[in-house]
Amino acid sequence: MNASAASATRRPAALLGWMDGLADETRLRLLRLLEREELTVQELCDVLRLPQSTVSRHLKTLSGAGWLASRREGTASYYRFSDALDAGARRLWKLARAETDGWTSAEQDEVRLEARLRARREGAEQFFAGAAQEWEALRAEAYGLRFEREALLGLLPAEWVVADLGCGAGTLSASLAPSVARVIGVDQSAAMLRAARRRLEPFDNVELHRAGLEALPLPTGSCDAALLVLVLTYVPGVAAVLAEAARILKPGGRLVVVDLSRHGDESFARRLGQVRLGFAPEELARAFTGAGLASPSVRPLPPEPGARGPALFIATARQPAGPTR
């Protein structure tokens, strides 16, 4: 049997397998949720209001059929819609998703998912509201100071407009302000922004905004560079934040990320209010590509003497240049 004949024989079997995966109400609900957001088993149980045994059984079925990918982070298992899903399965899912739009069960799931994600964000906000006054010392104790200089190495011309996303108390913005044309700081924490305004008062080329990083109050293509320094470990929806960072970049603009490499210290994450245990290089490179960014690069940063926190990395990517005129 030649290759084309063998492929033709396999296709009906694959189709039947995909259809079997979709032939269950709970599995349809799971796929609708996980296409939107990476979630833990416990979060899925809370949203679906089903016992863990039921949810785990359906997750196993969907994972075995190639619909889902998963990863371990400490004691939790995270599931997401698979990036490697067959194109035929994607076409079938597009039809299934359209046919289930307006489904009451799915709409209720969406409401509970929004509440669950809001609780994630509020947990990080509560940490920063209480830590604003001692954040500088806490951050220096955990990571040292060298990572800020490494982030600056990702910047180029002095005429650039730079977005400091998750600017916190304004330390990095203050370092950038003398070197670039304009700095735009964005943070969701009112307490952090109060500290940032005090620090940045001497600079007339810095503006600050209070906003979530999933919906930046900045025009499309308005920045030459964007920084996310020790931010993504606090973010429940990394894909949405990277998509927004990509949106505000000019063609050829750069994104620079400094954050924690994947680690297993759950007590450290809890102490600093983080929602995830760092990132693996391939995970972040994949997220960059998913946001439409090009040339992703991730490299570890050498540990700074005296720093007690997990190892850090620096990652860069760029907004593809527009068509040549």
Side-chain angles (χ1 to χ4, degrees):
M1 183 182 295
N2 60 36
S4 60
S7 176
T9 302
R10 286 195 298 269
R11 297 301 288 178
L15 175 61
L16 290 173
W18 300 332
M19 293 174 68
D20 184 60
L22 298 179
D24 183 273
E25 177 179 326
T26 300
R27 292 200 286 273
L28 287 171
R29 292 168 67 192
L30 282 166
L31 287 171
R32 286 184 66 98
L33 292 170
L34 293 171
E35 184 186 34
R36 175 180 167 185
E37 188 70 40
E38 184 184 56
L39 297 167
T40 67
V41 176
Q42 187 56 57
E43 287 172 329
L44 287 165
C45 292
D46 292 343
V47 172
L48 295 174
R49 294 186 175 176
L50 291 172
Q52 183 171 333
S53 58
T54 300
V55 172
S56 295
R57 173 165 51 85
H58 288 295
L59 288 172
K60 182 178 180 180
T61 299
L62 289 169
S63 298
W67 288 99
L68 300 179
S70 63
R71 64 181 178 87
R72 293 283 296 180
E73 188 166 289
T75 58
S77 293
Y78 284 78
Y79 286 84
R80 67 180 184 277
F81 212 83
S82 176
D83 296 330
L85 191 62
D86 188 278
R90 288 189 181 278
R91 289 192 293 270
L92 183 61
W93 169 244
K94 185 176 180 181
L95 173 63
R97 183 182 56 204
E99 290 298 316
T100 54
D101 283 344
W103 180 20
T104 302
S105 295
E107 290 178 346
Q108 290 297 313
D109 291 343
E110 286 287 328
V111 171
R112 288 191 289 269
L113 177 61
E114 285 294 340
R116 193 69 187 80
L117 295 178
R118 188 162 56 249
R120 277 190 190 179
R121 292 190 291 269
E122 287 171 355
E125 282 186 42
Q126 289 170 5
F127 167 78
F128 283 117
Q133 298 304 315
E134 53 188 75
W135 173 241
E136 302 303 320
L138 182 62
R139 188 168 75 161
E141 176 187 347
Y143 312 116
L145 299 173
R146 188 181 301 163
F147 66 85
E148 292 187 349
R149 295 193 297 273
E150 292 287 345
L152 290 172
L153 292 177
L155 304 177
L156 290 174
E159 65 269 23
W160 273 14
V161 175
V162 179
D164 185 5
L165 305 179
C167 63
T171 306
L172 187 54
S173 291
S175 297
L176 289 167
S179 304
V180 298
R182 187 156 61 104
V183 179
I184 305 170
V186 182
D187 204 286
Q188 192 161 303
S189 167
M192 284 291 180
L193 286 174
R194 284 194 295 270
R197 287 191 179 94
R198 290 193 295 270
R199 172 173 279 112
L200 297 167
E201 190 175 0
F203 303 104
D204 59 7
N205 65 333
V206 179
E207 61 183 81
L208 297 174
H209 299 272
R210 184 182 182 191
L213 301 185
E214 305 89 348
L216 296 172
L218 304 177
T220 298
S222 58
C223 297
D224 299 284
L227 302 177
L228 286 160
V229 177
L230 300 181
V231 170
L232 290 183
T233 44
Y234 294 97
V235 168
V238 170
V241 171
L242 291 180
E244 271 296 85
R247 180 186 65 79
I248 66 170
L249 289 175
K250 298 176 182 178
R254 299 279 300 232
L255 174 66
V256 178
V257 173
V258 175
D259 223 305
L260 280 66
S261 299
R262 180 66 58 78
H263 65 92
D265 192 346
E266 294 185 68
S267 64
F268 177 90
R270 285 194 299 271
R271 184 162 66 91
L272 270 73
Q274 295 166 344
V275 300
R276 62 184 70 241
L277 302 179
F279 297 86
E282 63 274 13
E283 176 186 10
L284 196 60
R286 185 172 61 243
F288 280 168
T289 302
L293 296 164
S295 306
S297 173
V298 185
R299 64 178 175 87
L301 293 176
E304 186 167 341
R308 300 178 184 178
L312 302 176
F313 65 82
I314 184 168
T316 61
R318 62 177 177 82
Q319 180 66 269
T324 303
R325 295 191 177 186

